[in-house]
Amino acid sequence: MRIILFTGKGGVGKTTMAAATALQAAQKGYKTLVISTDPAHSLSDALNVPLSPEPTPVVPNLYGQEFDVYYSMKKYWGNMRQLMLTLFKWRGVENVVAEELSVLPGMEEASAFLWLEKYYTEGEYDLIVIDSAPTGETLTLLTLPQVTQSWLVKAFPGQSTAVKTMGFVVRKTTGVPLDKGYAELENLFDKLERVQKIFLNPDICSIRIVANPERMVIQEAKRAYTYLQMYGYNVDAMVVNRILPQTESGTLFDKYLVAQQKYLTEIEEAFAPLPIFKVYHKGQEVFGLELLQAIGNDIYGNLDPTRIFHRENPFEVQENDTYYNIRIKLPFIKQQDFTINKYGDELVITLGNRRKSVILPRFTNFLQLNGYEFTEPWLTVRLEKAAVTT
């Protein structure tokens, strides 16, 4: 089974790209499920078909689903929900508030992971296309196993045996399945870790970044690309959406078109050698299968959308006791006549009149640049940790 996840800044058109990709794959004979993990669902609007928390047929080979965390908790993880409800009620939280709090932090994303684990185990679909929430939430989704495991330790510090023992007694006397709920909670974390390994397998999962040719969107796309590479996820393509076609001068959009060309060049240089697909503005709001098919054709042409378009790790972080080595693949640099400067969490590499900006992880904001080495095509930058004074 293949998994393709679309991410990017909010409003760039992730839902449209995901739906168009899923439709294209279905028409090529792949049994495809497109699912939305964004709490503000718009997938049903894009497909122009009502969807539900369960897979809903759209056209032959294509199914759609919009996650609902409360539906998922009630149907699949009732014992765990009961555990959380009971825990909060014992602490004096009123019923309505306890109902809301019974949904764990990140449970919206976790429900997506658990559904994916279910589909992967059953092997019912050839392809799953994920219309994810904006970039920050996507990174939360992909790092969820570590986050939720930390939550469990904090919620029940050293109390797993006590909860299970006490839970058995409570279940016998009151019928509330606390012990089963805790076991279900532990099983949930095991499943999250299994799904994370699936996402980290480049033969199964590809992540595609959606962007518009605009400054703020490009900056967020760079940051997302850096983090995804750092975490080990394979980004195999970038889709630049809403490109305005060139028109004769003297129009309202003259300045925008000039800026757009500059940003398109920046995207091609900054994300090389990542394949970049371009989608031109349709001049109207995109919803319905006919327009989605046209966009799918724009993106892929005769290519198979399930194909792995690119595979490499151009960004690596190596940690030492006193410093970090940041290794960056720079295929367009052919000689060492460049300069490097660091501004906060941004590394700026200048070669002649060309400049490459690399957005580093936020923790590097307070590290100092202390030299670099270039062995084509790899640039290794040393960032020193601040000395600890006592």
Side-chain angles (χ1 to χ4, degrees), residues 184-202:
E184 199 169 85
L185 195 61
E186 289 183 319
N187 185 45
L188 178 147
F189 296 134
D190 290 339
K191 288 184 176 182
L192 292 182
E193 289 180 352
R194 285 202 295 274
V195 177
Q196 187 180 53
K197 289 178 181 177
I198 293 170
F199 269 91
L200 286 167
N201 186 338

Side-chain angles (χ1 to χ4, degrees), residues 79-81 83 177-186:
N79 289 329
M80 184 178 66
R81 174 175 163 275
L83 165 70
L178 290 188
D179 53 332
K180 290 185 177 180
Y182 191 86
E184 199 169 85
L185 195 61
E186 289 183 319

